[in-house]
Amino acid sequence: MKPIIQKLLECLLAILPFLKKKNAKELKEFSDLVMSQYTFLMEQVERMLKDYFLLSNKVTEMHSELFRLREEVLQAQQERCSVHNCPQRS
């Protein structure tokens, strides 16, 4: 996305000589504002992505732990109730 903004700014800079100096100053201020907003938004997106992947890793770890614990519970139930007709045996 950044190259698109840079190309846009290059186009604006190519047009600037044809504009009045007053308009050129306003256009420069506007382009600076757009660039600062773009930079801020990209920082927010990067922060959100880091948080997302961190959370995704934690959820994956939790699922693995749950499956491991489930297997341990099933194993413990089978060991506790070895009688064939035991209602608690799965």
Side-chain angles (χ1 to χ4, degrees), residues 42-86:
M42 288 307 296
E43 289 171 357
Q44 295 299 313
V45 167
E46 288 174 2
R47 193 174 301 147
M48 186 264 323
L49 285 173
K50 285 179 184 177
D51 291 345
Y52 170 79
F53 287 116
L54 181 65
L55 183 61
S56 176
N57 289 338
K58 287 182 180 181
V59 167
T60 301
E61 290 173 7
M62 288 174 64
H63 277 118
S64 297
E65 182 71 11
L66 285 172
F67 288 126
R68 186 185 64 77
L69 290 173
R70 181 176 177 261
E71 291 297 321
E72 286 181 15
V73 167
L74 290 175
Q75 182 70 28
Q77 281 181 344
Q78 288 176 355
E79 290 173 1
R80 189 180 99 202
C81 190
S82 58
V83 178
H84 180 66
N85 294 336
C86 180

